[in-house]
Amino acid sequence: MQKAEYRYYEISQDMPVLVLTGEKWETVYGMDNMHFHNYLEIGYCHYGKGTVQLAERELTYDAGTITFISRNIPHRTCPDPEKADEKQKWEYLFVDFDTILKKCFADAPEKYTKLKKDLEQKVFVLDQKSNKRAVELMQMIIEEEQCKRSNYKYAILTFGLNLLLFFDRLDQKETEEKPLSDTMDYIRKLINYMELHYMENIMAKDLAKSCELSETHMRRIFLEYTNATPLEYLNLVRINKACELLMKGNCSVESVSEQVGYTVLSTFMRNFKKITGLSPNSWRKKALEDPENIGAYQVSVFKGW
């Protein structure tokens, strides 16, 4: 059975795009493991050649290719075997599109809901002929993040929205999409269910019902594919949401605990410390004192590269 690693990335509350670029991403890429992320991944290949594998299908890439892979979709990048010892150069954006859409469509909730639903289903691997505008927007985001000129955060938000709309308008048939394998589809359904219902008293039977599996089988495939139990992932989601509430500064720890689905305060405190390394009050104090570096105080388990 092919496993899929869960690679978690931290994104600041007020900066919904994480930029990964530089020397680290200009290297010899070995055979990657199948994995999925907690945020949308957009990648640009400056040079290199190979395939992007998504469950039971493969899409080729080379210099100038741009990839768009929604969160929770298992995938991996595999260099061309004949060029396996050669360097490749990639740049990546990890995008919290939910935050971007909420900010930009605050007065149009129906548009926010539709766009979010559409983007969560999309996967694209586009060659140079099809992606010119997307590459331009991606490079503008990278430049703004690196230079940090006046109002750069607003510029990134604007360019980010335009980038999302570019992909939303593309014809999904261009990807030659085939269904995900059954097991990976189950994993995605489980993750989506937890992210939608984390504030509720979720039981194992609820998770099993969401993907029409037995509780035993549900637990087994989730652990085998993600190297985490469903409860560990649920705790990660809940603590992430707790961090968002704590940043607002006006909620008590007890209230935050209840809002993210914990019925026992001590359980919340224990999981918060385990995942972040800090107590809720200590995390909030440091985050409020230094909001620009909030990533340093966010959840750090299952982290990506």
Side-chain angles (χ1 to χ4, degrees):
M1 177 181 289
Q2 184 172 220
K3 294 185 178 182
E5 299 174 356
Y6 175 52
R7 295 180 181 173
Y8 175 84
Y9 285 94
E10 299 169 347
I11 292 184
S12 170
Q13 301 293 307
D14 63 344
M15 175 56 68
V17 179
L18 172 67
V19 175
L20 299 181
T21 186
E23 294 182 0
K24 182 177 180 180
W25 309 100
E26 184 177 6
T27 185
V28 175
Y29 287 82
M31 179 66 72
D32 197 8
N33 294 323
M34 190 68 78
H35 62 278
F36 57 97
H37 302 287
N38 56 323
Y39 290 110
L40 160 67
E41 174 192 290
I42 300 176
Y44 177 67
C45 179
H46 286 268
Y47 54 83
K49 184 178 181 181
T51 60
V52 177
Q53 296 184 359
L54 301 114
E56 298 174 345
R57 58 193 166 115
E58 294 186 3
L59 300 170
T60 60
Y61 73 84
D62 55 18
T65 295
I66 195 167
T67 61
F68 179 104
I69 303 174
S70 294
R71 63 178 186 164
N72 300 335
I73 292 183
H75 63 282
R76 67 178 178 179
T77 303
C78 303
D80 186 329
E82 295 182 359
K83 299 180 179 294
D85 296 329
E86 298 180 8
K87 282 188 176 182
Q88 299 194 17
K89 181 179 179 180
W90 284 81
E91 290 181 318
Y92 292 98
L93 302 180
F94 283 88
V95 183
D96 179 3
F97 65 77
D98 189 45
T99 294
I100 292 177
L101 296 178
K102 279 182 178 178
K103 289 183 177 181
C104 295
F105 293 99
D107 298 328
E110 69 286 350
K111 290 184 179 180
Y112 156 75
T113 301
K114 184 179 185 305
L115 278 168
K116 179 182 178 183
K117 182 179 180 180
D118 290 345
L119 290 171
E120 286 179 340
Q121 306 300 319
K122 290 184 181 290
V123 174
F124 293 104
V125 177
L126 303 177
D127 60 24
Q128 294 185 71
K129 296 179 181 179
S130 309
N131 67 20
K132 183 177 179 181
R133 180 57 178 162
V135 174
E136 290 175 351
L137 288 166
M138 184 174 179
Q139 293 305 314
M140 286 191 284
I141 290 172
I142 292 173
E143 180 183 352
E144 289 290 342
E145 196 278 335
Q146 292 177 334
C147 297
K148 293 182 171 56
R149 294 183 288 257
S150 175
N151 295 317
Y152 75 96
K153 292 182 180 179
Y154 295 101
I156 289 176
L157 185 66
T158 301
F159 295 146
L161 176 62
N162 276 275
L163 188 56
L164 294 176
L165 293 176
F166 170 87
F167 284 105
D168 181 66
R169 291 167 176 168
L170 290 176
D171 183 356
Q172 186 73 24
K173 292 180 181 179
E174 293 181 30
T175 63
E176 301 177 359
E177 184 167 11
K178 299 177 183 177
L180 294 174
S181 65
D182 288 342
T183 304
M184 289 187 177
D185 192 41
Y186 290 143
I187 299 299
R188 193 173 182 213
K189 286 180 179 178
L190 287 167
I191 289 172
N192 288 340
Y193 183 88
M194 284 187 270
E195 292 181 348
L196 287 173
H197 299 276
Y198 67 88
M199 72 294 293
E200 301 171 10
N201 184 25
I202 298 177
M203 308 295 288
K205 63 180 181 181
D206 301 317
L207 293 174
K209 184 178 179 180
S210 73
C211 57
E212 300 180 336
L213 295 174
S214 69
E215 291 183 32
T216 301
H217 189 45
M218 178 272 296
R219 286 193 181 97
R220 181 177 63 80
I221 65 170
F222 196 92
L223 179 60
E224 288 183 351
Y225 266 69
T226 68
N227 293 319
T229 67
L231 179 58
E232 287 173 333
Y233 184 87
L234 178 59
N235 281 326
L236 179 61
V237 172
R238 285 173 167 170
I239 298 307
N240 254 318
K241 299 298 181 181
C243 289
E244 293 178 11
L245 293 172
L246 289 168
M247 270 296 291
K248 296 178 180 179
N250 56 1
C251 293
S252 68
V253 172
E254 292 82 359
S255 175
V256 169
S257 173
E258 293 174 357
Q259 290 182 64
V260 298
Y262 288 99
T263 56
V264 179
L265 179 60
S266 60
T267 303
F268 169 70
M269 300 290 284
R270 182 175 65 253
N271 280 293
F272 196 98
K273 180 69 177 291
K274 178 182 178 181
I275 291 174
T276 69
L278 298 169
S279 70
N281 282 325
S282 295
W283 186 95
R284 172 156 54 190
K285 181 180 179 181
K286 289 189 175 184
L288 292 176
E289 288 175 351
D290 192 7
E292 289 292 324
N293 293 315
I294 182 62
Y297 312 118
Q298 288 187 303
V299 179
S300 59
V301 297
F302 303 133
K303 286 185 67 174
W305 298 332

